[in-house]
């Protein structure tokens, strides 16, 4: 099935966002000139990434080895979480923080080498870091990051680690004793707390739950608005790309027509010159014909005069003989 080459897509998604649309439109025009409208349409559907997504794509394209290491670390983290291996998980979590920090530093270096990239102070490195952390926790985000075709930054709303008390239940020894100690303290707590304190704590817990629910509701509402805004943006970008392409097609058609008109004007001028030369040649031929006819008449008259003279001379000679 025809389509843009992976090299072209990689080139587009490593282009700074402020030059992405121009580069994409040029690729669309080139595909059309090559007689491949299907590929041109597929290229036109490629969407411009945000600056943060572009930085992550740049990292995946320029340093795929580092991103591969990140994906491998993510798999190790998920394995440790599934098996509830506390010590291993803490070790991997430290590696995660170090790896993400190193990748963010590498992104800063790559951006500094790109012409037209924002200055270091304007780089959305917090969004880059959030996206890399999301890739460590979400396999789908990790695949998008590794493909180098991310359109916008990602974040992870879940928990990257299993809660610590649950981990201590399976590690044994000293940590198991530490786990039992909070339960003992919790068992003694009701006798030490006044009823008013417990009521206040319950009220505070209810207020906190209500606040969390409200924040979750606001987040969902904002996510819906963001999704709608992004859809509208993509639609507007598509319409702009189509309109710009239609404008370029119209300009090309007009140029072709003007070129044809110029050629016709040139041919008309040549034809007019040839007609003028033909008229001059006809007039010259007419004058030559007139002169030839006049000369023919003169010669014919001279011949007639000569014949008459010869006939007269012949008659005179006959009379003398008689």
């Amino acid at each position: 099935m025809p389509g843009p080459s992976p090299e072209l897509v990689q080139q587009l998604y490593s282009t700074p966002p402020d030059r992405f649309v121009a580069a994409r439109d040029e690729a669309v025009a080139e595909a059309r000139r090559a007689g491949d409208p299907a590929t041109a349409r597929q290229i036109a559907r490629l969407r411009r990434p945000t600056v943060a997504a572009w930085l992550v794509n740049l990292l995946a394209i320029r340093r795929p080895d580092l991103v591969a290491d990140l994906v491998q670390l993510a798999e190790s983290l998920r394995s440790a979480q599934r098996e509830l291996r506390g010590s291993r998980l803490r070790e991997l979590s430290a590696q995660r923080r170090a790896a993400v920090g190193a990748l963010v530093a590498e992104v800063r270096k790559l951006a500094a080498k790109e012409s037209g990239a924002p200055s270091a102070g304007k780089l959305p490195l917090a969004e880059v870091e959030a996206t890399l952390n999301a890739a460590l926790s979400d396999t789908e985000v990790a695949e998008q990051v590794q493909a180098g075709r991310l359109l916008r930054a990602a974040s992870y709303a879940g928990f990257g680690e299993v809660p610590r008390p649950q981990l201590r239940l399976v590690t044994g020894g000293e940590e198991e004793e530490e786990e039992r100690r909070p339960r003992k303290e919790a068992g003694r707590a009701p006798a030490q707390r006044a009823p008013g304190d417990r009521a206040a704590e319950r009220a505070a817990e209810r207020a906190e739950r209500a606040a969390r629910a409200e924040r979750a509701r606001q987040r969902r509402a904002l996510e819906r608005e963001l999704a709608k805004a992004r859809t509208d943006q993509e639609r507007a970008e598509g319409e702009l790309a189509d309109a710009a392409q239609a404008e370029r097609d119209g300009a090309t058609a007009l140029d072709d027509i003007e070129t044809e008109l110029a050629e016709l004007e040139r041919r008309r001028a040549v034809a007019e010159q040839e007609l003028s030369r033909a008229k001059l040649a006809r007039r010259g031929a007419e004058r030559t014909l007139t002169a030839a006819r006049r000369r023919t008449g003169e010669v014919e008259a001279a011949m007639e005069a000569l014949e008459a003279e010869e006939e007269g001379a012949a008659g005179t000679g006959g009379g003398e003989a008689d």
Side-chain angles (χ1 to χ4, degrees):
M1 180 177 178
S5 65
E7 293 78 11
L8 173 61
V9 175
Q10 189 176 84
Q11 179 183 351
L12 288 175
Y13 279 94
S14 62
T15 301
D18 59 346
R19 301 203 302 267
F20 178 88
V21 174
R24 180 192 61 191
D25 292 348
E26 176 58 30
V28 170
E30 185 173 348
R32 287 179 174 166
R33 286 194 296 269
D36 192 352
T39 296
R41 286 192 296 271
Q42 292 184 42
I43 296 173
R45 284 196 291 267
L46 296 176
R47 293 292 169 252
R48 178 179 60 186
T50 64
V51 175
W54 166 68
L55 290 170
V56 177
N57 292 337
L58 194 63
L59 178 67
I61 293 169
R62 298 280 195 271
R63 296 301 307 273
D65 54 327
L66 297 181
V67 176
D69 292 343
L70 183 74
V71 173
Q72 184 175 0
L73 176 59
E75 179 57 35
S76 299
L77 277 166
R78 285 191 292 271
S79 177
Q81 288 172 355
R82 286 192 299 267
E83 298 173 8
L84 297 178
R85 290 183 293 169
S87 59
R88 176 59 175 161
L89 184 57
R90 286 191 293 276
E91 177 187 348
L92 291 171
S93 296
Q95 292 182 21
R96 178 192 64 186
R97 289 189 292 273
V100 170
L103 289 176
V104 171
E106 184 65 23
V107 165
R108 188 192 297 270
K109 293 179 184 178
L110 292 173
K113 296 177 182 178
E114 291 291 326
S115 61
S119 61
K122 296 181 180 179
L123 293 176
L125 297 179
E127 294 181 48
V128 172
E129 183 176 356
T131 301
L132 295 175
N133 279 316
L136 284 165
S137 305
D138 190 319
T139 55
E140 183 177 352
V141 176
E143 291 173 357
Q144 294 177 3
V145 168
Q146 197 167 21
R149 294 186 58 176
L150 204 65
L151 293 180
R152 52 187 55 86
S155 60
Y156 183 63
F159 297 94
E161 298 178 22
V162 179
R164 202 168 183 182
Q166 296 181 14
L167 293 175
R168 287 180 171 175
L169 287 173
V170 299
T171 55
E174 183 179 339
E175 291 184 349
E176 200 170 281
E177 176 60 28
E178 290 180 4
E179 175 58 26
R180 284 196 297 270
R181 189 180 300 118
R183 289 203 298 270
K184 293 177 182 178
E185 293 175 354
R188 291 194 299 269
Q192 297 173 354
R193 297 193 184 106
D197 293 338
R198 291 196 298 273
E201 288 177 358
R202 288 194 294 271
E205 290 174 357
R206 288 194 297 271
E208 177 61 24
R209 286 196 298 270
R212 285 198 299 268
E214 176 61 19
R215 288 194 296 270
R217 185 193 65 79
Q218 292 177 356
R219 174 180 288 276
R220 289 192 298 271
L222 289 173
E223 287 175 347
R224 287 193 296 269
E225 292 182 9
L226 179 60
K228 182 179 181 302
R230 286 172 174 169
T231 299
D232 293 342
Q233 177 184 342
E234 291 181 357
R235 183 184 303 111
E237 288 178 350
E239 292 175 354
L240 175 60
D242 292 341
Q245 187 58 50
E247 179 183 2
R248 286 191 293 273
D249 291 344
T252 300
L254 181 60
D255 289 342
D256 293 342
I257 292 173
E258 289 178 347
T259 300
E260 292 176 2
L261 285 175
E263 176 62 18
L264 290 173
E265 288 292 340
R266 186 191 65 79
R267 291 168 59 186
R268 176 182 176 180
V270 171
E272 287 179 345
Q273 292 176 357
E274 292 177 352
L275 176 61
S276 178
R277 286 194 293 269
K279 287 180 178 179
L280 290 175
R282 177 182 59 80
R283 291 170 184 167
E286 288 177 345
R287 288 193 294 270
T288 301
L289 177 60
T290 300
R293 286 175 176 171
R294 183 172 58 251
R295 180 58 180 165
T296 299
E298 292 173 351
V299 172
E300 288 178 345
M303 288 183 65
E304 290 176 355
L306 179 60
E307 289 175 354
E309 183 178 346
E310 288 177 347
E311 287 177 357
T316 304
E320 290 179 355
D322 290 341

